[in-house]
Amino acid sequence: MAAFAAGLEAWLELERDQLFLWVPVAFGTGVALWFVLPGQRHWALLLAALCGTGLVAAALAGTGRAARAVALAAMLGAMGLGLVWLRSMAVAAPVLDRPRIVQFDARIERLQPLAARGVVRLRLAPIVPVVSVASATRRPGVERQAAGLPANHRLPPHLRVTLPMGALPKGAAAGAIIRLGARLVPPPEPGVPGAYDYARVAWFDGIGAAGRGYAPVTLVQPAPPQRLVDWDGLRARLSAHVRAQAPGGAGAIAAALASGDQGAMPADDAEAMRRAGLTHLLSVSGLHITAVVGGVMLMVLRLLALSPWLALRMPLPLVAAGAGALAAIGYTLLTGAEVPTVRSCVAALMVLAALALGRQAVTLRLVAVGALVVLALWPEALAGPSFQLSFAAVGTIIALHEQPWVRRLAPVAGASLPMRIGREAALLLLTGIGVEAALAPIALFHFHKAGLYGSLVNIIAIPLTTFVVMPAEALALLFDLAGLGAPFWWVTTVALDFLLWMAHRTAAAPGAVAALPAMPGGAFALMVGGGLWLALWRTRWRLLGVPLAAAGAGWAGLTPAPDLLITGDGRHLALRLNSGEVALLRDRTGDYVRQMMAENAGVDDAPLFLSDSAAARCSRDSCLVERVAGGRRWRILATRSNYPLDYASLMSACAQADIVVSDRRLPRACTPRWMTFDKPVLARSGGVAIYLADHSITTVRAAADDHPWRAAATSTATSTAAHVNHSGAAGQRAFPALAPGADHNAADHKRGLPDRAGSLHLPAENI
């Protein structure tokens, strides 16, 4: 032990300059553990354990650097966990109890046009509770309510509503009060395990309901006089101007570069950019901030240097750096101050400060401080892909270029032009490969897809955007003040059209995208931990990160794809057929649901429909399909309409099926051989992923999950399920908890009330 302690102290002494880099890692680990652990009891126990560990290690701090490092890491982890816990309580706001149709007055807090979809997204603050209300789970009609409504009939303080582009009246802007009707629902949780969790995002954004509004929308009160700088209005006008000068997909990219507005991006162009690994060009981050700061500094420095008096008497580089700092802050505010932009702005300001002080500017310490700033202000950002992708990309670039063997590839002074170009191209390719390797696990974890050719196409795309598109667009906007920007807009449009052409060609290439089903959290943690260990240390012990990351990658790659995905409302089902293809239950399935099902099933191709598959027998109201898995044949029965089914035939079909899925409340006598997933069951479990080979089930909701957005969703589901129980006598059925590996027999399904019988609409020869 003495030898081990001495060796540990010697190693930490060698790595003492790197220890600060682990400060945001320890802080972020505490934040991450709050998201991973299920409930308040676990959070409190971990907080106590971290504090206790920190105190014990602090008491032993005199024994060496290791004890001090442990004490600091434990305290930072406790601070991260406590901060995100406190923030989750500080932003707490009421959540809509169940779907409702409402008419109300509201103040517009934020307005975001989405030109590509022909809609505008509003963040609203209701002025009066409700003018009229109708529960969306009941028969059509409007229940008139008095002004003093009970608490469960009032709207949350903040809503997100989508309206058709032409539905907003003239003069409706941020600050205006409008009157509208809308169908509102609680913020939706993931449709299936591994899908996007808007409920978590909405909780930290204070959004208590989301939905779609409908006409007529009337203006009750116009917006008050604008503030000194109306960033939202300026952003909208700038985006509209850019799109008017450069139409189509090129104009949408130009608008995203100028104002951060990606709402006008056509769906096919956005998908091509994503598959080609070029989506980072649309999100305003380090590349764009660097170009703006560098351009402003160069322009200011050159203009001021024209005056000999100023050049001799003033520190022009410092003046130019100050102008660049102001440009970075203004560009950040103009583009909406998203997490990547804020991180890049903080980094740019620190670089400028380091240059002013004569210090080395671009280091991993810069990234660490930026991460600490963002986590201190918005700890919930750690769970989102934007934070992870942004810091992973910048950290990888800096860590890679700090390696001695990479520095030796840099162009040598006095070398020939072809040699310099070759070395620069090799460095750019190496950087692209390193960044793609760092970002692939994050993309696969959040989006279940990752582009494979991004490192190659970015060799052209990044210089094209940095040195052609952004300068040309900046000059076009500048000369537009005099009406002379047309030549520069032509250059911008041609360059962006070429960029889109590359994106579409790359996206269509064979093997352009790697698809993976929902990744286990443990595999992702191993890859992230291994990558951090490899990047942040400098001695040979950093190579231990390679087997860690490889173990995580192997775990993720060996994770089987689910055989059956069921959305939380029971309306949609995706089944992996014996051929390996994925088929959907309903022929009329929206683009979002199709994409979600395909991504979480781990396929890149568009899914089929069960009605078109020879393995299924479908009528207009139900489908019966057989699937071979785990050495046995499974029979799956699913309803796909709201029309009544013949009771006797339904009971017979249920008895001979292994799994029954429905978006309605099935009779209790419907007893398949293994499991029923109907409305009451799914109201408790949320979306479900089923692995037939080992009889395991993964659910969106867990019984012990105390995260506030999940608790609100569970309360909403209970309220909705109570309304579905039209008999009013028995309440929800007592099904066993859904747990991975749980096996349910027919006895679990014998309590309930039968639905009313109706005409037979089961598939032919279904028994």
Side-chain angles (χ1 to χ4, degrees), residues 512-584:
V513 174
L516 199 71
M519 183 189 301
F524 183 60
L526 280 176
M527 286 188 281
V528 172
L532 288 171
W533 192 271
L534 180 64
L536 300 187
W537 295 127
R538 284 293 169 266
T539 60
R540 66 179 184 274
W541 290 104
R542 73 180 188 273
L543 296 179
L544 289 176
V546 175
L548 280 177
W555 184 0
L558 295 175
T559 299
D563 297 292
L564 185 62
L565 288 171
I566 306 169
T567 58
D569 58 6
R571 288 181 51 82
H572 301 285
L573 175 152
L575 175 67
R576 187 174 299 275
L577 302 175
N578 294 327
S579 61
E581 298 173 302
V582 173
L584 302 179

Side-chain angles (χ1 to χ4, degrees), residues 598-612:
E599 288 177 351
N600 287 275
V603 297
D604 184 40
D605 300 328
L608 310 174
F609 296 110
L610 281 176
S611 57
D612 297 330

Side-chain angles (χ1 to χ4, degrees), residues 601-626:
V603 297
D604 184 40
D605 300 328
L608 310 174
F609 296 110
L610 281 176
S611 57
D612 297 330
S613 172
R617 296 189 295 276
C618 294
S619 71
R620 63 178 182 175
D621 300 318
S622 60
C623 277
L624 181 68
V625 61
E626 293 187 351

Side-chain angles (χ1 to χ4, degrees), residues 171-555:
I177 297 177
I178 58 175
R179 179 170 297 148
L180 73 160
R183 183 187 186 275
L184 299 176
V185 298
E189 61 186 4
V192 294
Y196 175 63
D197 191 355
Y198 178 68
R200 185 195 71 227
V201 177
W203 179 266
F204 285 101
D205 198 24
I207 300 294
R212 180 173 293 273
Y214 54 84
V217 180
T218 58
L219 183 65
V220 176
Q221 178 181 313
Q226 298 295 339
R227 304 182 297 271
L228 180 63
V229 179
D230 177 21
W231 294 108
D232 291 337
L234 181 59
R235 186 183 310 118
R237 292 192 297 273
L238 178 61
S239 177
H241 174 75
V242 171
R243 286 186 280 110
Q245 302 301 318
I253 298 178
L257 295 176
S259 65
D261 177 17
Q262 302 182 33
M265 193 70 185
D268 57 338
D269 289 341
E271 177 68 9
M273 294 283 286
R274 184 184 65 80
R275 293 172 64 89
L278 299 177
T279 307
H280 66 95
L281 298 177
L282 303 178
S283 177
V284 178
S285 56
L287 174 67
H288 312 82
I289 293 288
T290 301
V292 169
V293 171
V296 169
M297 287 183 62
L298 179 63
M299 182 176 62
V300 171
L301 189 62
R302 295 298 185 187
L303 288 176
L304 294 180
L306 294 176
S307 169
W309 188 88
L310 292 176
L312 293 174
R313 291 171 173 81
M314 294 186 65
L316 296 188
L318 291 181
V319 175
L326 292 177
I329 295 172
Y331 188 48
T332 300
L333 295 174
L334 176 63
T335 54
E338 300 292 338
V339 170
T341 319
V342 172
R343 188 269 309 159
S344 302
C345 181
V346 171
L349 296 179
M350 293 186 62
V351 167
L352 294 174
L355 291 175
L357 295 174
R359 302 285 299 274
Q360 184 180 356
V362 183
T363 65
L364 284 175
R365 287 176 174 258
L366 176 74
V367 181
V369 172
L372 272 178
V373 171
V374 174
L375 289 176
L377 296 175
W378 306 284
E380 70 276 8
L382 180 72
S386 179
F387 177 93
Q388 297 172 14
L389 291 169
S390 177
F391 280 96
V394 176
T396 300
I397 292 172
I398 297 176
L400 185 64
H401 283 261
E402 286 183 351
Q403 300 300 317
W405 64 273
V406 176
R407 290 179 178 177
R408 288 194 291 269
L409 290 176
V412 181
S416 62
L417 180 61
M419 180 63 70
R420 291 201 303 270
I421 294 176
R423 284 178 174 265
E424 290 287 359
L427 274 176
L428 192 57
L429 177 60
L430 179 63
T431 302
I433 294 174
V435 170
E436 290 297 325
L439 301 188
I442 302 173
L444 289 171
F445 181 75
H446 289 283
F447 311 120
H448 315 293
K449 290 183 180 181
L452 298 181
Y453 303 148
S455 56
L456 297 176
V457 73
N458 273 296
I459 293 178
I460 301 174
I462 291 177
L464 179 68
T465 303
T466 306
F467 301 114
V468 179
V469 174
M470 294 193 69
E473 186 173 356
L475 291 172
L477 291 171
L478 179 64
F479 278 87
D480 272 351
L481 298 175
L484 302 175
F488 300 102
W489 283 120
W490 180 83
V491 174
T492 302
T493 303
V494 170
L496 289 176
D497 283 339
F498 176 67
L499 181 68
L500 283 173
W501 176 83
M502 285 197 306
H504 282 278
R505 292 296 298 269
T506 304
V513 174
L516 199 71
M519 183 189 301
F524 183 60
L526 280 176
M527 286 188 281
V528 172
L532 288 171
W533 192 271
L534 180 64
L536 300 187
W537 295 127
R538 284 293 169 266
T539 60
R540 66 179 184 274
W541 290 104
R542 73 180 188 273
L543 296 179
L544 289 176
V546 175
L548 280 177
W555 184 0

